[in-house]
Amino acid sequence: MHYIRFLKSPKSITDSRGKHVLSAVITITTDLGDSFLCSDLSLLVELEDTDGTKLVDGGRAKEYLWTGSDGFKGLPVEIPIRKQTMRASVEVKMVVRAREELRMVESFDHALGNRLNFVEDGGGVVALRGNAQGSGMVERVFRYGDGQKIQIWEEAGESIARHIWDAGLILSAYLSSVGKPLPTSRPLPQLPTLQTVLSKSDLHILELGAGCGIVGITLRQLLPNISQIILTDLPEATSILTHNISLCSPAPGHSVLDWSVPIPLPIASTQWNLILVADCTYNPDVVPDLVKTLGRLAEGNKDLMVLLAMKVRHESEAVFFTLMNEGGWAIRESIKLPLPVLGGEDEEIEIFVFGIPV
């Protein structure tokens, strides 16, 4: 999976012809920003208002060609803004997306690779939205179901902790598909134990290392039977996480939770049904504290389940499974979902459900 990102956020300027334009510089990288898209890709740049309605200020969308050599220096893009729009003080967003539908990732079905037309080298590119308000945030929008959508804002800077990562996106997409028909004939593998947990009434769900909050927010929007869901992370993620939560109705709760210190009493004293953990095992230095935290949450709660999603990035992540086994946890079920990568070697997301044997 690749993600369009701003190297320079959108800015309203007057060009050499005296016309008002929204200008930016973009790049296209993997989720951690550790490599650029090396393939050529046709892009569209458009304007939207805050409700997501397309604005045709400059006529048709402008087309640009990303080439593999654009990664380090970035690709300058711009889109005209009509004087009427400027006078009306309408807040506009620049939208940058892949031109070909087969390359777009703007829905959970797209993220899962579920399209009506299947092609080899089916990797997609996640679209990007940003405004000229200087907020330091950019927006990702994913459609699902019958017209619903998830809106997730990220920080525009280099902090990968406040960006969407692949396993969180794919887990969210998978959860949105549970028990629902897909637009292709390729069924997704099932997790019956997880489905049983999610079908319970009066659900209490906790997310660890929530980042931008995409997994917990998705589940809150999907399940009316959730009585309580709290998204947790370190203090540095509070700003972006609480911003995304504020856009939800009903909204999840939020709490700061550092795995290396005692668990706050309101969290420690709750009988949770499910713990969400996505993209949290990449750093082996924090894995012992993560597993200890899961163990504390399971004290006196033998029915607790842990839902883990990960993209294996290096062999050292295997320590998580060793420590979980030593802590009395067992894998109840697991699946692997393909993650096509445009112009590169395909990857996969692994999803596990852990429980404590009785």
Side-chain angles (χ1 to χ4, degrees), residues 25-273:
V25 179
I26 65 156
T27 188
I28 305 178
T29 75
T30 53
D31 60 346
L32 298 193
D34 50 0
S35 63
F36 300 104
L37 175 63
C38 59
S39 300
D40 292 355
L41 182 70
S42 295
L43 298 170
L44 290 181
V45 179
E46 300 172 302
L47 286 180
E48 283 184 359
D49 64 17
T50 53
D51 295 323
T53 302
K54 288 184 182 180
L55 302 175
V56 290
D57 284 33
R60 295 184 301 169
K62 291 195 68 172
E63 294 190 19
Y64 288 87
L65 179 65
W66 167 272
T67 67
S69 61
D70 286 324
F72 286 102
K73 66 179 184 294
L75 175 66
V77 298
E78 63 180 36
I79 187 79
I81 308 175
R82 287 193 308 174
K83 289 182 179 179
Q84 294 92 320
T85 302
M86 298 286 292
R87 292 195 198 103
S89 298
V90 174
E91 184 179 335
V92 296
K93 297 177 185 176
M94 173 184 280
V95 183
V96 188
R97 54 165 56 96
R99 183 177 65 83
E100 297 179 63
E101 196 275 337
L102 290 173
R103 299 299 179 209
M104 293 179 185
V105 178
E106 297 191 60
S107 72
F108 282 157
D109 284 338
H110 290 165
L112 292 171
N114 292 310
R115 304 172 189 268
L116 294 174
N117 300 304
F118 177 74
V119 293
E120 295 295 332
D121 194 16
V125 178
V126 181
L128 178 67
R129 289 164 169 80
N131 58 38
Q133 307 305 311
S135 65
M137 296 189 295
V138 297
E139 184 185 26
R140 310 281 185 187
V141 178
F142 303 98
R143 302 185 308 275
Y144 70 96
D146 299 321
Q148 299 100 317
K149 64 182 179 181
I150 299 285
Q151 295 172 269
I152 299 293
W153 290 80
E154 303 176 326
E155 289 191 2
E158 297 298 319
S159 173
I160 59 175
R162 272 85 80 189
H163 290 171
I164 292 173
W165 291 16
D166 286 343
L169 173 55
I170 298 302
L171 178 57
S172 301
Y174 179 81
L175 290 169
S176 76
S177 73
V178 172
K180 299 179 177 64
L182 296 170
T184 70
S185 59
R186 294 183 296 140
L188 289 174
Q190 299 299 300
L191 293 169
T193 300
L194 174 63
Q195 292 186 43
T196 299
V197 173
L198 296 180
S199 66
K200 292 180 178 180
S201 60
D202 194 31
L203 271 176
H204 291 73
I205 298 175
L206 181 71
E207 182 171 9
L208 303 182
C212 295
I214 185 172
V215 179
I217 288 171
T218 298
L219 209 52
R220 171 69 276 191
Q221 291 194 197
L222 289 170
L223 298 180
N225 54 323
I226 292 178
S227 293
Q228 181 184 28
I229 179 167
I230 296 180
L231 280 51
T232 70
D233 209 317
L234 294 171
E236 51 263 38
T238 295
S239 177
I240 193 67
L241 185 52
T242 54
H243 177 78
N244 285 324
I245 287 173
S246 72
L247 302 176
C248 304
S249 180
H254 166 261
S255 178
V256 171
L257 179 55
D258 183 337
W259 306 333
S260 66
V261 301
I263 300 172
L265 183 59
I267 293 177
S269 60
T270 300
Q271 289 284 105
W272 302 101
N273 301 105

